[in-house]
Amino acid sequence: MVIKVFLASSSGSTAIKKKQQDVVAFLEALKVDYTPLDIACNEENRMWMRKNVPEENKPANGIPLPPQIFNEESYCGDYDTFFNAKEDNSVYSFLGLPPPPGSKEVPMTERNGEAHAEKEQAQAADGQEEDGGDADDEEDEVAEDEEEAVEETDEAHAEEDEEQEEEDLQSEVTVHR
């Protein structure tokens, strides 16, 4: 499955640039493979994106803006739905991907509860010894990666907000002169 992220390499909008950077940075932090597709330099990409965003997800003017995210041919969503999925710790579900072991999206019973206990009991009954250290380390590493990705994007949002406030103040000063 290939995640496609439609971006505009030469957008004049700082808001669009920041949204694109946020999506790309978060996917990279989670080590999700994706393909960036430029709609500014490639007319085919722009037409494909516009054609394949469902009507109910298009803005009032009918022209969807980047970033738009697809899993192969299946529409996942735009920046706002991506952001909501990120806040809900459901990015993998949003992308239509199975969550990795240790992900916050994996149900707790599957990680630590009944399913885990049943697995250990079955292995003990088979006479197998489980060395859970490696699996636990991998789960911890994935969880840490997710937390770092959330923290990085939260910091980026805080910086964006500060920059926007600074721009707004400069605009107000210019208008009042």
Side-chain angles (χ1 to χ4, degrees):
M1 290 187 246
V2 175
I3 301 301
K4 299 176 183 177
V5 181
F6 288 85
L7 309 166
S9 61
S10 61
S11 173
S13 167
T14 56
I16 288 176
K17 287 179 186 176
K18 289 177 182 179
K19 289 176 180 181
Q20 292 175 158
Q21 289 171 344
D22 188 28
V23 169
V24 168
F26 197 78
L27 292 176
E28 287 176 355
L30 291 181
K31 298 179 178 90
V32 171
D33 288 330
Y34 70 95
T35 302
L37 299 167
D38 190 0
I39 66 168
C41 297
N42 187 318
E43 185 67 23
E44 287 178 23
N45 287 343
R46 179 179 21 247
M47 297 310 292
W48 191 93
M49 180 194 81
R50 288 181 178 179
K51 177 181 153 200
N52 289 287
V53 170
E55 286 299 319
E56 62 271 11
N57 296 96
K58 290 183 180 177
N61 69 2
I63 301 172
L65 298 174
Q68 295 291 330
I69 306 161
F70 290 81
N71 183 334
E72 295 287 343
E73 311 297 311
S74 177
Y75 182 68
C76 297
D78 60 4
Y79 175 79
D80 292 332
T81 52
F82 175 82
F83 182 80
N84 290 337
K86 187 172 74 168
E87 292 294 309
D88 294 339
N89 290 320
S90 60
V91 172
Y92 292 102
S93 297
F94 167 80
L95 296 171
L97 299 174
S103 168
K104 292 180 180 180
E105 286 187 51
V106 176
M108 193 58 94
T109 56
E110 202 173 302
R111 280 193 279 158
N112 301 330
E114 299 161 7
H116 186 69
E118 289 173 10
K119 181 179 172 185
E120 285 181 351
Q121 289 173 355
Q123 287 174 342
D126 291 340
Q128 298 174 346
E129 289 186 26
E130 179 183 47
D131 180 16
D134 292 342
D136 289 341
D137 290 346
E138 184 179 321
E139 288 177 8
D140 291 344
E141 188 175 317
V142 170
E144 287 174 11
D145 287 347
E146 282 185 353
E147 287 178 26
E148 286 176 16
V150 169
E151 288 174 8
E152 287 173 10
T153 54
D154 287 347
E155 288 173 10
H157 281 293
E159 288 177 18
E160 290 171 16
D161 291 343
E162 287 177 21
E163 288 174 11
Q164 188 63 45
E165 286 178 20
E166 206 172 289
E167 287 176 20
D168 291 345
L169 286 173
Q170 288 176 351
S171 296
E172 286 180 25
V173 169
T174 305
V175 169
H176 292 295
R177 286 185 181 175

